[in-house]
Amino acid sequence: MTDIGTNRADWRALWASGDLARFCFISLGILLHATNETMVATVMPAMIGELAGVQLVGWSLAIYELGAIVAGAAAGRLVSYVALRTNMVVAALLYAAGAMICATAPSMQLFLAGRLVEGLGGGALVSLAFVSVQRLFPRTIWPQLFGIMSAIWGVAAFSGPMLGAIMTEVLSWRWAFGIFTFGGGAMASASFIVLNTPEARKPQATDGKAPPFPFAALGCLAISVVLIASAGVDIELLRSSLLMAVGLIGLVLFFRIDALKPLSRLFPSQLFSWRSPVGAGMTMVAAFSVATCSFGVYGPLLLTSLHGIPILTTGYIIAAESIAWSILSILVANAPPQRERAIIVCGAVMIAAGIAGFAYTVPAGSIPLILLCALLQGGGFGIAWPFLTRVIVASARDSEQTIASAAVPTMQRIGYAVGAALTGIVANASGFSEGLNREAAASVASWLFLAFLPLGIVGCLAALRISSATLRPRMVAG
């Protein structure tokens, strides 16, 4: 009773003080970033029709996620030295500048430069939103605020494809990015007024020390993703194979460097060891994040090129995947712990079924079946991810549980970046290296999803492993 009464009092005080409006404002950064992240696929057909450069489609997501990873890691540390408000202004201006570059880009190469700047700004805005909650609001309502922020992310995942499709149909794909230019600029200007508190105007109080920035690890990651993406631009067997091999070795080196830097590490120990629920769980996160990029990056482009499906319809399909994720996540949220194993495995099987189904439905062009696969893939993530995250965090060492909680979304973003780069290799090797035409699209649609099905199987095996590893202590205890 005391806790409930305290929370209600905190909420009333939050409303009366105007801090609720401040919370809505800082959450706008999440909305801008996530909406932009999911919007690009639906505007891609129109954009490629104007700018060409179909060989670089995979870069559009890879470079954005890469910027978000680096900026997200940096922003959490910069608040120790630079005021929160200043960080927010700079991040919002970066985001606005990147969106403007994208909106006015005369070529695909300049568009990708804008995407990198956008990713830097957007990743920083998300990180600063979470920092702001910890700095500006009572600890007693942190869980509720973080829950609302998760809901905002779900809304953005739905609204992004719809916004891109509607703006492209009504005006132009450039206006879709133009809206974010105004949004970022408005947020930067409003920061001076909304974040006008002592906590936001001064650097975070520390002992003069902040966690060191993982320069070596993130630099290695950036080079690795760029090398993998470069392997798919102009397909030549020797050159492309060498670039991809070096890029994959660089990824291994990235994880190795991270493990050797305990003060700045991004991931818990035993990262990919299947002897631990942490390792099996992180393997599942990595495998499915890479394997599910294909439809998000190339789906609308293939559907419009092959079957003449309207951009608005493809926007609905991608939005339906996000809706399924959010709804099913809510429906299983209160499932009892003894059903954890079945839910994780069921979610993994649904994701793998969605990947396999796309390999048939996208070439065939059946909208109902494509929608079903999107629902399977999104719904699988929705039911598995909350329990998977809980298992990973609970199974981590006591000293690494905070790292483990942040490692899941970080691994997911790395998976998206690497997956987008790999989809570019498969798509260009299958036909897009010769340009965008119906014959090339048919060939790409046949191979793009099958190529990632093995990773879907790895994800299912990891799900089985994490569930059995989770159950073993209970069986012994019984």
Side-chain angles (χ1 to χ4, degrees), residues 4-381:
I4 294 174
T6 300
N7 283 341
R8 286 176 178 170
D10 285 333
W11 281 108
R12 285 197 298 268
L14 196 66
W15 176 269
S17 66
D19 282 346
L20 190 59
R22 185 173 291 114
F23 170 72
C24 293
F25 170 77
I26 63 173
S27 297
L28 178 60
I30 296 176
L31 189 67
L32 289 173
H33 170 73
T35 303
N36 194 310
E37 183 180 47
T38 57
M39 178 196 72
V40 175
T42 52
V43 306
M44 193 61 68
M47 193 181 72
I48 292 299
E50 182 177 337
L51 299 183
V54 69
Q55 300 90 344
L56 299 173
V57 167
W59 284 72
S60 64
L61 178 62
I63 206 75
Y64 184 82
E65 294 293 352
L66 196 58
I69 293 166
V70 173
R77 290 163 169 81
L78 282 175
V79 291
S80 297
Y81 305 104
V82 181
L84 175 63
R85 183 173 67 175
T86 303
N87 274 284
M88 192 75 78
V89 170
V90 172
L93 289 176
L94 270 176
Y95 182 86
M100 179 179 290
I101 294 171
C102 291
T104 58
S107 66
M108 190 64 169
Q109 288 79 5
L110 194 57
F111 173 82
L112 293 177
R115 287 292 285 168
L116 176 61
V117 177
E118 258 190 331
L120 290 169
L125 285 175
V126 171
S127 180
L128 291 171
F130 284 90
V131 170
S132 298
V133 168
Q134 295 175 322
R135 292 280 303 277
L136 305 178
F137 301 97
R139 181 183 295 270
T140 52
I141 58 171
W142 284 1
Q144 292 91 333
L145 296 182
F146 287 139
I148 294 173
M149 292 165 82
S150 297
I152 291 171
W153 203 291
V155 171
F158 164 74
S159 62
M162 299 307 304
L163 174 65
I166 291 171
M167 293 304 297
T168 301
E169 293 282 355
V170 175
L171 294 172
S172 163
W173 66 269
R174 294 184 183 276
W175 275 103
F177 289 97
I179 289 176
F180 292 108
T181 301
F182 292 119
M187 188 168 185
S189 301
S191 295
F192 288 100
I193 301 172
V194 180
L195 298 180
N196 189 28
T197 65
E199 296 84 1
R201 295 198 309 266
K202 62 183 181 181
Q204 183 176 355
T206 65
D207 297 331
K209 296 181 180 180
F213 187 75
F215 286 105
L218 290 178
C220 187
L221 173 65
I223 293 171
S224 300
V225 172
V226 169
L227 286 173
I228 294 171
S230 299
V233 176
D234 294 311
I235 299 295
E236 296 177 4
L237 182 59
L238 181 60
R239 171 186 165 278
S240 298
S241 299
L242 182 61
L243 284 174
M244 186 168 72
V246 175
L248 293 175
I249 292 171
L251 283 178
V252 175
L253 184 59
F254 157 69
F255 290 115
R256 181 61 179 165
I257 292 173
D258 182 71
L260 295 175
K261 300 287 185 179
L263 295 179
S264 62
R265 66 187 310 171
L266 301 171
F267 299 103
S269 54
Q270 296 182 303
L271 183 57
F272 294 118
S273 172
W274 283 27
R275 292 176 294 181
S276 160
V278 175
M282 294 303 292
T283 301
M284 181 177 167
V285 173
F288 280 135
S289 298
V290 174
T292 54
C293 278
S294 299
F295 188 74
V297 175
Y298 283 96
L301 186 62
L302 291 172
L303 294 178
T304 54
S305 302
L306 274 177
H307 311 294
I309 296 175
I311 291 176
L312 192 57
T313 302
T314 65
Y316 279 123
I317 293 172
I318 295 178
E321 182 177 348
S322 300
I323 294 172
W325 185 321
S326 299
I327 291 177
L328 290 188
S329 181
I330 294 171
L331 290 178
V332 303
N334 295 320
Q338 59 267 29
R339 295 186 181 177
E340 199 170 73
R341 173 182 182 274
I343 291 174
I344 291 175
V345 173
C346 180
V349 171
M350 287 173 64
I351 297 170
I355 298 169
F358 280 134
Y360 168 76
T361 59
V362 172
S366 171
I367 293 178
L369 291 178
I370 293 170
L371 178 60
L372 175 62
C373 292
L375 293 174
L376 281 172
Q377 188 165 284
F381 275 107

